[in-house]
Amino acid sequence: MRIDILTLFPEMFSPLNFSILKRAQDDGIVKINLVNIRDFAKPPHYKCDDYPFGGGAGMIMLAEPLFNAIESVIDDEAKIFYMSPRGVVFNQNKARDMSKLNHIILICGHYEGIDNRVIEHFKVEELSIGEYILTGGELASMVVVDAVSRLISGVISDESTQDETFSSDNRVEYDQYTRPANFRGLKVPDVLLSGNHAKIEEWKIKSSDINTKKRENLKNTKKN
């Protein structure tokens, strides 16, 4: 997969060069390309924002440098997303859908947003990582890149993504433990040490049920 990230602050993306994402790039499974929007603005000041028509607080990112930046990387396979709090909320199902694409372009907005003609002309899909406001789209785009990339075949084992939280029916994953079996008097459930695979699978389902119920109760409490 090719991922082009359009941003005013490419220096923010160093976390993408570590751990699993670094291996995915080194192995050629994922190619992440940072595009500095300011490189496509007019000299001498390379201005990328201006006051909004109709008034209002803040500044709006200009259409011209964004058009130029998009046109420098777009191809027939590209799907363009704009990180925006008014977009569809990103979730695991969306991540799976996006992981099947060959080319993704992510636009990182800043200030009060971008000129809407960019969204209209390129049929951009707006995407949100939650119902809150960030100072820009950089952190949100990193969340999307990480969640999508790990679902691409070869990045991590397929088994690792099958039973995890949100892998199916919005269920929450069962509790996990590792060595030692007894740490400061805190013991791993006996069934996990038993070697009885049927009982272990039964325990995992029960643990998942309990955790899913806890999450639902927390959500309902917050709504009330």
Side-chain angles (χ1 to χ4, degrees):
M1 174 185 282
R2 175 181 166 187
I3 303 174
D4 291 301
I5 305 173
L6 278 55
T7 174
L8 291 172
F9 304 99
E11 60 272 20
M12 290 182 65
F13 288 87
S14 59
L16 300 183
N17 296 318
F18 294 91
S19 189
I20 292 171
L21 284 180
K22 182 181 188 304
R23 291 203 304 271
Q25 293 176 80
D26 290 344
D27 293 342
I29 301 172
V30 179
K31 180 180 180 181
I32 300 174
N33 178 44
L34 300 176
V35 179
N36 192 334
I37 298 168
R38 206 172 297 279
D39 291 342
F40 297 87
K42 290 181 177 178
H45 302 297
Y46 299 94
K47 184 178 176 63
C48 288
D49 62 295
D50 209 334
Y51 294 103
F53 283 127
M59 306 288 277
I60 305 298
M61 291 179 66
L62 295 167
E64 184 173 10
L66 282 168
F67 264 69
N68 293 339
I70 292 170
E71 288 168 349
S72 75
V73 295
I74 196 171
D75 58 26
D76 292 339
E77 292 187 308
K79 175 66 177 175
I80 308 176
F81 299 89
Y82 166 49
M83 307 313 302
S84 165
R86 73 181 190 182
V88 173
V89 177
F90 182 69
N91 59 23
Q92 190 72 359
N93 287 334
K94 185 64 177 178
R96 287 193 180 279
D97 290 342
M98 291 175 67
S99 72
K100 299 171 185 175
L101 300 173
N102 292 321
H103 185 191
I104 291 172
I105 300 174
L106 300 175
I107 303 174
C108 301
H110 230 75
Y111 314 117
E112 291 299 314
I114 69 175
D115 190 307
N116 207 67
R117 286 170 290 190
V118 175
I119 296 171
E120 295 167 353
H121 179 79
F122 291 103
K123 296 179 175 58
V124 175
E125 182 175 338
E126 297 183 67
L127 201 58
S128 167
I129 63 165
E131 296 178 345
Y132 48 87
I133 308 298
L134 299 172
T135 55
E138 283 76 18
L139 293 176
S141 70
M142 282 189 268
V143 168
V144 170
V145 169
D146 188 281
V148 170
S149 295
R150 66 188 299 279
L151 295 174
I152 298 172
S153 180
V155 174
I156 60 176
S157 68
D158 293 339
E159 182 181 356
S160 295
T161 64
Q162 288 176 357
D163 296 324
E164 61 188 0
T165 298
F166 309 128
S167 60
S168 62
D169 300 326
N170 285 323
R171 290 180 61 83
V172 176
E173 193 175 15
Y174 49 83
D175 294 339
Q176 301 270 22
Y177 302 88
T178 189
R179 294 179 178 85
N182 186 335
F183 176 71
R184 296 185 180 180
L186 303 171
K187 297 181 179 180
V188 172
D190 291 338
V191 65
L192 298 180
L193 309 175
S194 67
N196 187 325
H197 297 295
K199 289 291 184 181
I200 290 172
E201 287 304 313
E202 185 179 308
W203 179 90
K204 287 181 178 180
I205 293 171
K206 184 177 179 180
S207 177
S208 175
D209 288 341
I210 291 171
N211 290 339
T212 302
K213 184 68 173 178
K214 283 181 182 177
R215 184 173 185 273
E216 288 301 315
N217 288 341
L218 284 172
K219 287 170 64 177
N220 292 333
T221 299
K222 290 177 181 179
K223 287 179 182 179
N224 295 331

